[in-house]
Amino acid sequence: MNASDRSARIRETDIYARLRETVLAALAQVVPDLPPEIAARVEVSPAKDPAHGDMATNAAMVSAKAARQPPAKIAAALVQHLTASPDIQTAEAAGPGFVNLRLKPQAFRALLPVILSSGEAYGDATTGTGTKINVEYVSANPTGPMHIGHCRGAVVGDALANLLTKAGFDVTKEYYINDAGAQVTALAWAAYWRYLQAIGSPMTEEEFANEVPGGLQYKGEYLIQVGQALATQYLASLATPDLGIASPELWIDTVKDHTIHAMMTEIREDLRLLGVQQDIFSSERALVASGAADRIIEKLHADGLIYEGVLEPPKGKTPEDWEPRPQTLFRSTEFGDDVDRPLRKSDGSNTYFANDIAYHADKIDRGYDVLIDILGADHGGYVPRMKAAVKALSQGTTKFDAVLCQIVHIMKGGQPVRMSKRAGTYVTLRDLLEEVGKDAVRFTMLTRNSDAQMEFDLDKVLATTRENPVFYVQYAHARCRSVLRAAAEITTTDDLATASVDTLASEPELTLIRRLALWPRTVEAAALAHEPHRIAFFLYDLAADFHMLWNRGKDDATLRFIQADHLQETRARLALVAATAVVIRSGLQVMGVTPVEEMR
RNA sequence: GCGCCCUUAGCUCAGUAGGAUAGAGCAACAGCCUUCUAAGCUGUGGGUCGGUGGUUCGAAUCCACCAGGGCGCGCCA
């Protein structure tokens, strides 16, 4: 799509963007030599108070200084020019220099055919055209099935990726498998224990645990199958002749491979059930094995960004066992971090950070303009060093943003559900999905800003009341579909895009249409802010407007959508209903929630 | 001790890229309602946007300091 096609499309679908162009054109008449950076600050935004009209612009105020004229004077001149616009009914200067615009109802109504012919593509933006973004999310240790703690990041990341795609970005969804660290070695030992059990080893768990460096972790039963599979494939060849612990070199890589593969199979299935489908799975272990991590460290070394040094102890709180030690450090302080960060452990292997630098370098090499990591809030302290690393690696050309997800507290029967493996109340993602379903999980996870803690009340997400946004939004869509089904017997609905909508003039109808008009703007703002939860709130408001309109039919039968003896009126109303359904679907699509056709 | 995030109605939370008189749901109060597909509808009360300064024509929003909560703080990921 070229630039003029693009702006034509914007004029057609985003009424606020269109009016902004109108205002800028008028402003160019009033203030001929306005600097572009001032023009960029001109906004046309929806009026908060209906008494102010439909929209307002700050054009006069932001340009007053550059024009060396008082805002009121510029506003008055703008009003003169703007009243000539075919979209505008009235324009008036108000307050400290706003220009309030009241649009002709037709300007809003004309959107309905556009929505109906665009379908769910309505709201697509071109903001991100030409920008490649990588969204990395979930990235759980492959040490067991996914639990609730992983779930929020998965949903937020997935919805954000969808949102960015809708806003025109070229998006890659990625999962980074943290399969290289000590945790995975511990996992392999745990699987090896299940293997020994499977081949009938006489060792007791205690005897085995005493031989494991760091002790036996991951006692979950989910590894039993892995052990049995190993036994089937390798018989007793991974153990000593008397079925004891063989030298780790003989089995550790095999068991690791096998176990990680088994865990990832489970995790992929969990993700699939959650409706998450990532494009790329990157392995930390493969990255290290390929030598990429070492190469990056060498490169940074050559750039003078790595040195051997001793860190100061944390101020005010010196750990008991603190002692000065020389370490391999990355100069992250040169790029805004608080302290330089270690890259090597004392055993010579890389820290997680070192490998993550290599991983992000790899993503930069793949040509992304923006890297987004979805992280748990407990990784907040990690963000500045990663930001520093990306800056150093890309010479500042690649942007990095981290979206932090706060903890989710599961509530049931008014009581918090404790997350404890020992107590057996460890809630897996699969349990949650079975209990409330994918759609309720996804929607609910998006009903809070991701950096706010959230209560997930298992009883409330299934409630059929207005206070449950999942229900309220789905119900609005179901009602739309219900009306359209009912109307199918009276009038055809397939060509509503060409229906005359001039009769839609009541306040609740126009309120709903104005809400629909906000959709492109909402998509764009949410995408740029990396805040997918805004979509959920928009849909809730949209649903409220729709239910309001529906409820009017309760009091007054002539206000119902279907009027058997007024076909033209009916078709106009149905066009509005159909457009509402389209926008709800469009929003649910971003959230990864399946719209329902009926509530049963 | 330091850094990051947070603090908005009784409760749970929004607040659209600094805009006008800060919004919604629940709860409370007062009415209505038995339905084109229903699990409700209308109205009312309720706020020093944690506090104090500052920048600005204009601040819940940006800056500084203070108070309270969460997270993190040399080879865990």
Side-chain angles (χ1 to χ4, degrees), chain A residues 8-42:
Chain A
R9 186 187 154 77
I10 287 169
R11 272 197 300 280
E12 194 182 46
T13 63
D14 186 345
I15 196 167
Y16 292 91
R18 182 168 86 218
L19 266 294
R20 182 170 181 271
E21 288 186 11
T22 304
V23 167
L24 284 175
L27 189 60
Q29 300 283 315
V30 176
V31 186
D33 298 314
L34 195 68
E37 64 271 20
I38 299 288
R41 290 177 53 206
V42 170

PDB file of all heavy atoms in Angstrom, chain A residues 8-42:
ATOM      1  N   ALA A   8      -5.827   7.569   2.343  1.00  0.00           N
ATOM      2  CA  ALA A   8      -7.230   7.474   1.923  1.00  0.00           C
ATOM      3  C   ALA A   8      -7.968   6.491   2.817  1.00  0.00           C
ATOM      4  O   ALA A   8      -9.099   6.728   3.240  1.00  0.00           O
ATOM      5  CB  ALA A   8      -7.298   7.003   0.472  1.00  0.00           C
ATOM      6  N   ARG A   9      -7.294   5.396   3.121  1.00  0.00           N
ATOM      7  CA  ARG A   9      -7.898   4.375   3.965  1.00  0.00           C
ATOM      8  C   ARG A   9      -8.141   4.907   5.372  1.00  0.00           C
ATOM      9  O   ARG A   9      -9.174   4.655   5.980  1.00  0.00           O
ATOM     10  CB  ARG A   9      -6.938   3.183   4.009  1.00  0.00           C
ATOM     11  CG  ARG A   9      -7.495   2.006   4.734  1.00  0.00           C
ATOM     12  CD  ARG A   9      -6.396   0.957   4.858  1.00  0.00           C
ATOM     13  NE  ARG A   9      -6.675   0.144   6.028  1.00  0.00           N
ATOM     14  CZ  ARG A   9      -7.603  -0.793   6.033  1.00  0.00           C
ATOM     15  NH1 ARG A   9      -8.318  -1.011   4.965  1.00  0.00           N
ATOM     16  NH2 ARG A   9      -7.824  -1.494   7.136  1.00  0.00           N
ATOM     17  N   ILE A  10      -7.164   5.676   5.857  1.00  0.00           N
ATOM     18  CA  ILE A  10      -7.328   6.247   7.183  1.00  0.00           C
ATOM     19  C   ILE A  10      -8.504   7.219   7.204  1.00  0.00           C
ATOM     20  O   ILE A  10      -9.322   7.211   8.118  1.00  0.00           O
ATOM     21  CB  ILE A  10      -6.031   6.948   7.626  1.00  0.00           C
ATOM     22  CG1 ILE A  10      -4.991   5.877   7.957  1.00  0.00           C
ATOM     23  CG2 ILE A  10      -6.274   7.857   8.821  1.00  0.00           C
ATOM     24  CD1 ILE A  10      -3.609   6.412   8.147  1.00  0.00           C
ATOM     25  N   ARG A  11      -8.598   8.032   6.146  1.00  0.00           N
ATOM     26  CA  ARG A  11      -9.727   8.969   6.100  1.00  0.00           C
ATOM     27  C   ARG A  11     -11.045   8.220   6.154  1.00  0.00           C
ATOM     28  O   ARG A  11     -12.014   8.678   6.728  1.00  0.00           O
ATOM     29  CB  ARG A  11      -9.650   9.799   4.805  1.00  0.00           C
ATOM     30  CG  ARG A  11      -8.822  11.055   4.958  1.00  0.00           C
ATOM     31  CD  ARG A  11      -9.102  12.026   3.824  1.00  0.00           C
ATOM     32  NE  ARG A  11      -8.793  11.463   2.520  1.00  0.00           N
ATOM     33  CZ  ARG A  11      -7.571  11.390   1.998  1.00  0.00           C
ATOM     34  NH1 ARG A  11      -6.548  11.847   2.688  1.00  0.00           N
ATOM     35  NH2 ARG A  11      -7.375  10.892   0.808  1.00  0.00           N
ATOM     36  N   GLU A  12     -11.052   7.051   5.537  1.00  0.00           N
ATOM     37  CA  GLU A  12     -12.293   6.305   5.470  1.00  0.00           C
ATOM     38  C   GLU A  12     -12.643   5.651   6.805  1.00  0.00           C
ATOM     39  O   GLU A  12     -13.786   5.654   7.225  1.00  0.00           O
ATOM     40  CB  GLU A  12     -12.154   5.223   4.387  1.00  0.00           C
ATOM     41  CG  GLU A  12     -13.480   4.620   3.999  1.00  0.00           C
ATOM     42  CD  GLU A  12     -13.294   3.527   2.959  1.00  0.00           C
ATOM     43  OE1 GLU A  12     -12.405   2.684   3.126  1.00  0.00           O
ATOM     44  OE2 GLU A  12     -14.072   3.517   1.985  1.00  0.00           O
ATOM     45  N   THR A  13     -11.642   5.074   7.476  1.00  0.00           N
ATOM     46  CA  THR A  13     -11.963   4.245   8.637  1.00  0.00           C
ATOM     47  C   THR A  13     -11.769   4.930   9.981  1.00  0.00           C
ATOM     48  O   THR A  13     -12.405   4.570  10.954  1.00  0.00           O
ATOM     49  CB  THR A  13     -11.100   2.962   8.658  1.00  0.00           C
ATOM     50  OG1 THR A  13      -9.730   3.338   8.787  1.00  0.00           O
ATOM     51  CG2 THR A  13     -11.306   2.154   7.414  1.00  0.00           C
ATOM     52  N   ASP A  14     -10.869   5.886  10.048  1.00  0.00           N
ATOM     53  CA  ASP A  14     -10.629   6.536  11.332  1.00  0.00           C
ATOM     54  C   ASP A  14     -11.064   7.985  11.252  1.00  0.00           C
ATOM     55  O   ASP A  14     -10.367   8.843  10.730  1.00  0.00           O
ATOM     56  CB  ASP A  14      -9.147   6.445  11.709  1.00  0.00           C
ATOM     57  CG  ASP A  14      -8.891   6.990  13.114  1.00  0.00           C
ATOM     58  OD1 ASP A  14      -9.791   7.674  13.659  1.00  0.00           O
ATOM     59  OD2 ASP A  14      -7.815   6.745  13.657  1.00  0.00           O
ATOM     60  N   ILE A  15     -12.237   8.220  11.795  1.00  0.00           N
ATOM     61  CA  ILE A  15     -12.845   9.539  11.648  1.00  0.00           C
ATOM     62  C   ILE A  15     -12.053  10.605  12.413  1.00  0.00           C
ATOM     63  O   ILE A  15     -12.005  11.765  12.013  1.00  0.00           O
ATOM     64  CB  ILE A  15     -14.326   9.482  12.086  1.00  0.00           C
ATOM     65  CG1 ILE A  15     -15.094  10.691  11.583  1.00  0.00           C
ATOM     66  CG2 ILE A  15     -14.444   9.314  13.579  1.00  0.00           C
ATOM     67  CD1 ILE A  15     -16.592  10.510  11.723  1.00  0.00           C
ATOM     68  N   TYR A  16     -11.379  10.182  13.480  1.00  0.00           N
ATOM     69  CA  TYR A  16     -10.583  11.140  14.241  1.00  0.00           C
ATOM     70  C   TYR A  16      -9.335  11.547  13.474  1.00  0.00           C
ATOM     71  O   TYR A  16      -8.948  12.714  13.457  1.00  0.00           O
ATOM     72  CB  TYR A  16     -10.220  10.566  15.612  1.00  0.00           C
ATOM     73  CG  TYR A  16     -11.445  10.416  16.479  1.00  0.00           C
ATOM     74  CD1 TYR A  16     -12.168   9.231  16.483  1.00  0.00           C
ATOM     75  CD2 TYR A  16     -11.900  11.481  17.240  1.00  0.00           C
ATOM     76  CE1 TYR A  16     -13.322   9.099  17.240  1.00  0.00           C
ATOM     77  CE2 TYR A  16     -13.044  11.363  18.011  1.00  0.00           C
ATOM     78  CZ  TYR A  16     -13.752  10.167  18.001  1.00  0.00           C
ATOM     79  OH  TYR A  16     -14.893  10.064  18.741  1.00  0.00           O
ATOM     80  N   ALA A  17      -8.733  10.573  12.813  1.00  0.00           N
ATOM     81  CA  ALA A  17      -7.562  10.875  11.990  1.00  0.00           C
ATOM     82  C   ALA A  17      -7.968  11.791  10.831  1.00  0.00           C
ATOM     83  O   ALA A  17      -7.246  12.715  10.469  1.00  0.00           O
ATOM     84  CB  ALA A  17      -6.947   9.582  11.459  1.00  0.00           C
ATOM     85  N   ARG A  18      -9.145  11.539  10.295  1.00  0.00           N
ATOM     86  CA  ARG A  18      -9.612  12.358   9.174  1.00  0.00           C
ATOM     87  C   ARG A  18      -9.834  13.802   9.620  1.00  0.00           C
ATOM     88  O   ARG A  18      -9.405  14.744   8.967  1.00  0.00           O
ATOM     89  CB  ARG A  18     -10.914  11.777   8.627  1.00  0.00           C
ATOM     90  CG  ARG A  18     -11.435  12.556   7.436  1.00  0.00           C
ATOM     91  CD  ARG A  18     -12.545  11.807   6.745  1.00  0.00           C
ATOM     92  NE  ARG A  18     -13.839  12.068   7.342  1.00  0.00           N
ATOM     93  CZ  ARG A  18     -14.789  11.154   7.490  1.00  0.00           C
ATOM     94  NH1 ARG A  18     -14.558   9.908   7.123  1.00  0.00           N
ATOM     95  NH2 ARG A  18     -15.950  11.468   8.008  1.00  0.00           N
ATOM     96  N   LEU A  19     -10.511  13.965  10.743  1.00  0.00           N
ATOM     97  CA  LEU A  19     -10.773  15.326  11.224  1.00  0.00           C
ATOM     98  C   LEU A  19      -9.483  16.025  11.621  1.00  0.00           C
ATOM     99  O   LEU A  19      -9.369  17.241  11.507  1.00  0.00           O
ATOM    100  CB  LEU A  19     -11.761  15.292  12.393  1.00  0.00           C
ATOM    101  CG  LEU A  19     -13.227  15.482  12.036  1.00  0.00           C
ATOM    102  CD1 LEU A  19     -13.470  16.896  11.497  1.00  0.00           C
ATOM    103  CD2 LEU A  19     -13.709  14.490  10.983  1.00  0.00           C
ATOM    104  N   ARG A  20      -8.507  15.239  12.058  1.00  0.00           N
ATOM    105  CA  ARG A  20      -7.231  15.854  12.392  1.00  0.00           C
ATOM    106  C   ARG A  20      -6.596  16.451  11.131  1.00  0.00           C
ATOM    107  O   ARG A  20      -6.043  17.548  11.168  1.00  0.00           O
ATOM    108  CB  ARG A  20      -6.284  14.816  13.018  1.00  0.00           C
ATOM    109  CG  ARG A  20      -4.955  15.408  13.422  1.00  0.00           C
ATOM    110  CD  ARG A  20      -4.136  14.434  14.264  1.00  0.00           C
ATOM    111  NE  ARG A  20      -2.871  15.064  14.635  1.00  0.00           N
ATOM    112  CZ  ARG A  20      -1.769  14.993  13.894  1.00  0.00           C
ATOM    113  NH1 ARG A  20      -1.780  14.308  12.767  1.00  0.00           N
ATOM    114  NH2 ARG A  20      -0.665  15.610  14.272  1.00  0.00           N
ATOM    115  N   GLU A  21      -6.720  15.734  10.034  1.00  0.00           N
ATOM    116  CA  GLU A  21      -6.210  16.283   8.770  1.00  0.00           C
ATOM    117  C   GLU A  21      -6.949  17.552   8.389  1.00  0.00           C
ATOM    118  O   GLU A  21      -6.354  18.510   7.922  1.00  0.00           O
ATOM    119  CB  GLU A  21      -6.335  15.238   7.645  1.00  0.00           C
ATOM    120  CG  GLU A  21      -5.348  14.096   7.788  1.00  0.00           C
ATOM    121  CD  GLU A  21      -5.377  13.142   6.596  1.00  0.00           C
ATOM    122  OE1 GLU A  21      -6.011  13.477   5.567  1.00  0.00           O
ATOM    123  OE2 GLU A  21      -4.759  12.080   6.691  1.00  0.00           O
ATOM    124  N   THR A  22      -8.268  17.541   8.614  1.00  0.00           N
ATOM    125  CA  THR A  22      -9.065  18.730   8.329  1.00  0.00           C
ATOM    126  C   THR A  22      -8.584  19.909   9.171  1.00  0.00           C
ATOM    127  O   THR A  22      -8.429  21.028   8.673  1.00  0.00           O
ATOM    128  CB  THR A  22     -10.554  18.444   8.635  1.00  0.00           C
ATOM    129  OG1 THR A  22     -10.960  17.299   7.889  1.00  0.00           O
ATOM    130  CG2 THR A  22     -11.424  19.634   8.285  1.00  0.00           C
ATOM    131  N   VAL A  23      -8.346  19.623  10.449  1.00  0.00           N
ATOM    132  CA  VAL A  23      -7.903  20.684  11.351  1.00  0.00           C
ATOM    133  C   VAL A  23      -6.520  21.198  10.946  1.00  0.00           C
ATOM    134  O   VAL A  23      -6.267  22.407  10.927  1.00  0.00           O
ATOM    135  CB  VAL A  23      -7.876  20.181  12.812  1.00  0.00           C
ATOM    136  CG1 VAL A  23      -7.119  21.142  13.721  1.00  0.00           C
ATOM    137  CG2 VAL A  23      -9.301  19.979  13.325  1.00  0.00           C
ATOM    138  N   LEU A  24      -5.637  20.283  10.596  1.00  0.00           N
ATOM    139  CA  LEU A  24      -4.291  20.700  10.195  1.00  0.00           C
ATOM    140  C   LEU A  24      -4.336  21.567   8.937  1.00  0.00           C
ATOM    141  O   LEU A  24      -3.592  22.544   8.820  1.00  0.00           O
ATOM    142  CB  LEU A  24      -3.397  19.470   9.957  1.00  0.00           C
ATOM    143  CG  LEU A  24      -2.906  18.767  11.213  1.00  0.00           C
ATOM    144  CD1 LEU A  24      -2.144  17.494  10.851  1.00  0.00           C
ATOM    145  CD2 LEU A  24      -2.018  19.701  12.045  1.00  0.00           C
ATOM    146  N   ALA A  25      -5.227  21.206   8.019  1.00  0.00           N
ATOM    147  CA  ALA A  25      -5.367  22.006   6.803  1.00  0.00           C
ATOM    148  C   ALA A  25      -5.847  23.406   7.144  1.00  0.00           C
ATOM    149  O   ALA A  25      -5.346  24.404   6.620  1.00  0.00           O
ATOM    150  CB  ALA A  25      -6.332  21.323   5.840  1.00  0.00           C
ATOM    151  N   ALA A  26      -6.819  23.481   8.054  1.00  0.00           N
ATOM    152  CA  ALA A  26      -7.331  24.793   8.471  1.00  0.00           C
ATOM    153  C   ALA A  26      -6.249  25.579   9.197  1.00  0.00           C
ATOM    154  O   ALA A  26      -6.082  26.786   8.982  1.00  0.00           O
ATOM    155  CB  ALA A  26      -8.550  24.594   9.373  1.00  0.00           C
ATOM    156  N   LEU A  27      -5.490  24.870  10.013  1.00  0.00           N
ATOM    157  CA  LEU A  27      -4.444  25.538  10.784  1.00  0.00           C
ATOM    158  C   LEU A  27      -3.371  26.101   9.849  1.00  0.00           C
ATOM    159  O   LEU A  27      -2.829  27.189  10.094  1.00  0.00           O
ATOM    160  CB  LEU A  27      -3.819  24.544  11.774  1.00  0.00           C
ATOM    161  CG  LEU A  27      -2.849  25.123  12.811  1.00  0.00           C
ATOM    162  CD1 LEU A  27      -3.535  26.162  13.672  1.00  0.00           C
ATOM    163  CD2 LEU A  27      -2.262  24.014  13.671  1.00  0.00           C
ATOM    164  N   ALA A  28      -3.098  25.381   8.779  1.00  0.00           N
ATOM    165  CA  ALA A  28      -2.107  25.860   7.816  1.00  0.00           C
ATOM    166  C   ALA A  28      -2.562  27.176   7.181  1.00  0.00           C
ATOM    167  O   ALA A  28      -1.746  28.035   6.834  1.00  0.00           O
ATOM    168  CB  ALA A  28      -1.875  24.798   6.737  1.00  0.00           C
ATOM    169  N   GLN A  29      -3.875  27.338   7.045  1.00  0.00           N
ATOM    170  CA  GLN A  29      -4.423  28.597   6.530  1.00  0.00           C
ATOM    171  C   GLN A  29      -4.252  29.726   7.535  1.00  0.00           C
ATOM    172  O   GLN A  29      -3.903  30.844   7.193  1.00  0.00           O
ATOM    173  CB  GLN A  29      -5.925  28.433   6.224  1.00  0.00           C
ATOM    174  CG  GLN A  29      -6.251  27.370   5.198  1.00  0.00           C
ATOM    175  CD  GLN A  29      -5.964  27.841   3.787  1.00  0.00           C
ATOM    176  OE1 GLN A  29      -6.324  28.958   3.429  1.00  0.00           O
ATOM    177  NE2 GLN A  29      -5.272  26.996   3.025  1.00  0.00           N
ATOM    178  N   VAL A  30      -4.484  29.388   8.788  1.00  0.00           N
ATOM    179  CA  VAL A  30      -4.489  30.419   9.831  1.00  0.00           C
ATOM    180  C   VAL A  30      -3.065  30.796  10.232  1.00  0.00           C
ATOM    181  O   VAL A  30      -2.755  31.965  10.463  1.00  0.00           O
ATOM    182  CB  VAL A  30      -5.269  29.903  11.063  1.00  0.00           C
ATOM    183  CG1 VAL A  30      -5.205  30.904  12.208  1.00  0.00           C
ATOM    184  CG2 VAL A  30      -6.718  29.628  10.671  1.00  0.00           C
ATOM    185  N   VAL A  31      -2.214  29.787  10.369  1.00  0.00           N
ATOM    186  CA  VAL A  31      -0.828  30.030  10.750  1.00  0.00           C
ATOM    187  C   VAL A  31       0.063  29.432   9.653  1.00  0.00           C
ATOM    188  O   VAL A  31       0.443  28.268   9.717  1.00  0.00           O
ATOM    189  CB  VAL A  31      -0.507  29.364  12.105  1.00  0.00           C
ATOM    190  CG1 VAL A  31       0.901  29.743  12.570  1.00  0.00           C
ATOM    191  CG2 VAL A  31      -1.539  29.750  13.146  1.00  0.00           C
ATOM    192  N   PRO A  32       0.416  30.232   8.660  1.00  0.00           N
ATOM    193  CA  PRO A  32       1.062  29.696   7.461  1.00  0.00           C
ATOM    194  C   PRO A  32       2.390  28.966   7.700  1.00  0.00           C
ATOM    195  O   PRO A  32       2.631  27.929   7.107  1.00  0.00           O
ATOM    196  CB  PRO A  32       1.285  30.942   6.598  1.00  0.00           C
ATOM    197  CG  PRO A  32       0.301  31.941   7.098  1.00  0.00           C
ATOM    198  CD  PRO A  32       0.133  31.670   8.560  1.00  0.00           C
ATOM    199  N   ASP A  33       3.230  29.466   8.552  1.00  0.00           N
ATOM    200  CA  ASP A  33       4.570  28.872   8.658  1.00  0.00           C
ATOM    201  C   ASP A  33       4.755  28.061   9.927  1.00  0.00           C
ATOM    202  O   ASP A  33       5.790  28.128  10.579  1.00  0.00           O
ATOM    203  CB  ASP A  33       5.639  29.967   8.579  1.00  0.00           C
ATOM    204  CG  ASP A  33       5.566  30.670   7.233  1.00  0.00           C
ATOM    205  OD1 ASP A  33       5.462  29.959   6.224  1.00  0.00           O
ATOM    206  OD2 ASP A  33       5.588  31.921   7.205  1.00  0.00           O
ATOM    207  N   LEU A  34       3.756  27.301  10.258  1.00  0.00           N
ATOM    208  CA  LEU A  34       3.828  26.531  11.495  1.00  0.00           C
ATOM    209  C   LEU A  34       4.894  25.434  11.398  1.00  0.00           C
ATOM    210  O   LEU A  34       4.902  24.656  10.457  1.00  0.00           O
ATOM    211  CB  LEU A  34       2.469  25.889  11.766  1.00  0.00           C
ATOM    212  CG  LEU A  34       2.275  25.350  13.181  1.00  0.00           C
ATOM    213  CD1 LEU A  34       2.217  26.474  14.184  1.00  0.00           C
ATOM    214  CD2 LEU A  34       1.016  24.507  13.241  1.00  0.00           C
ATOM    215  N   PRO A  35       5.808  25.373  12.365  1.00  0.00           N
ATOM    216  CA  PRO A  35       6.829  24.325  12.326  1.00  0.00           C
ATOM    217  C   PRO A  35       6.189  22.937  12.441  1.00  0.00           C
ATOM    218  O   PRO A  35       5.216  22.773  13.174  1.00  0.00           O
ATOM    219  CB  PRO A  35       7.685  24.615  13.573  1.00  0.00           C
ATOM    220  CG  PRO A  35       7.324  25.994  13.999  1.00  0.00           C
ATOM    221  CD  PRO A  35       5.940  26.260  13.511  1.00  0.00           C
ATOM    222  N   PRO A  36       6.742  21.967  11.732  1.00  0.00           N
ATOM    223  CA  PRO A  36       6.161  20.608  11.736  1.00  0.00           C
ATOM    224  C   PRO A  36       6.078  20.000  13.133  1.00  0.00           C
ATOM    225  O   PRO A  36       5.137  19.263  13.428  1.00  0.00           O
ATOM    226  CB  PRO A  36       7.145  19.804  10.873  1.00  0.00           C
ATOM    227  CG  PRO A  36       7.951  20.796  10.122  1.00  0.00           C
ATOM    228  CD  PRO A  36       7.926  22.074  10.873  1.00  0.00           C
ATOM    229  N   GLU A  37       7.039  20.320  13.989  1.00  0.00           N
ATOM    230  CA  GLU A  37       7.008  19.698  15.319  1.00  0.00           C
ATOM    231  C   GLU A  37       5.848  20.230  16.156  1.00  0.00           C
ATOM    232  O   GLU A  37       5.364  19.558  17.058  1.00  0.00           O
ATOM    233  CB  GLU A  37       8.348  19.877  16.053  1.00  0.00           C
ATOM    234  CG  GLU A  37       8.734  21.301  16.378  1.00  0.00           C
ATOM    235  CD  GLU A  37       9.528  21.956  15.246  1.00  0.00           C
ATOM    236  OE1 GLU A  37       9.448  21.459  14.095  1.00  0.00           O
ATOM    237  OE2 GLU A  37      10.220  22.958  15.506  1.00  0.00           O
ATOM    238  N   ILE A  38       5.393  21.424  15.831  1.00  0.00           N
ATOM    239  CA  ILE A  38       4.190  21.935  16.502  1.00  0.00           C
ATOM    240  C   ILE A  38       2.957  21.241  15.929  1.00  0.00           C
ATOM    241  O   ILE A  38       2.077  20.778  16.665  1.00  0.00           O
ATOM    242  CB  ILE A  38       4.062  23.465  16.305  1.00  0.00           C
ATOM    243  CG1 ILE A  38       5.260  24.197  16.906  1.00  0.00           C
ATOM    244  CG2 ILE A  38       2.760  23.963  16.920  1.00  0.00           C
ATOM    245  CD1 ILE A  38       5.297  24.214  18.402  1.00  0.00           C
ATOM    246  N   ALA A  39       2.924  21.139  14.614  1.00  0.00           N
ATOM    247  CA  ALA A  39       1.780  20.470  13.971  1.00  0.00           C
ATOM    248  C   ALA A  39       1.626  19.050  14.495  1.00  0.00           C
ATOM    249  O   ALA A  39       0.513  18.552  14.667  1.00  0.00           O
ATOM    250  CB  ALA A  39       1.973  20.452  12.458  1.00  0.00           C
ATOM    251  N   ALA A  40       2.752  18.422  14.782  1.00  0.00           N
ATOM    252  CA  ALA A  40       2.703  17.040  15.271  1.00  0.00           C
ATOM    253  C   ALA A  40       1.998  16.947  16.616  1.00  0.00           C
ATOM    254  O   ALA A  40       1.501  15.897  16.994  1.00  0.00           O
ATOM    255  CB  ALA A  40       4.120  16.482  15.386  1.00  0.00           C
ATOM    256  N   ARG A  41       1.954  18.044  17.335  1.00  0.00           N
ATOM    257  CA  ARG A  41       1.323  18.019  18.666  1.00  0.00           C
ATOM    258  C   ARG A  41      -0.179  18.273  18.612  1.00  0.00           C
ATOM    259  O   ARG A  41      -0.862  18.222  19.628  1.00  0.00           O
ATOM    260  CB  ARG A  41       1.987  19.054  19.580  1.00  0.00           C
ATOM    261  CG  ARG A  41       3.427  18.679  19.973  1.00  0.00           C
ATOM    262  CD  ARG A  41       4.055  19.766  20.822  1.00  0.00           C
ATOM    263  NE  ARG A  41       3.232  20.116  21.968  1.00  0.00           N
ATOM    264  CZ  ARG A  41       3.258  21.306  22.568  1.00  0.00           C
ATOM    265  NH1 ARG A  41       4.064  22.246  22.128  1.00  0.00           N
ATOM    266  NH2 ARG A  41       2.483  21.545  23.597  1.00  0.00           N
ATOM    267  N   VAL A  42      -0.660  18.593  17.423  1.00  0.00           N
ATOM    268  CA  VAL A  42      -2.097  18.858  17.299  1.00  0.00           C
ATOM    269  C   VAL A  42      -2.869  17.553  17.436  1.00  0.00           C
ATOM    270  O   VAL A  42      -2.543  16.554  16.797  1.00  0.00           O
ATOM    271  CB  VAL A  42      -2.406  19.503  15.933  1.00  0.00           C
ATOM    272  CG1 VAL A  42      -3.906  19.547  15.691  1.00  0.00           C
ATOM    273  CG2 VAL A  42      -1.808  20.913  15.889  1.00  0.00           C
TER     274      VAL A  42
END
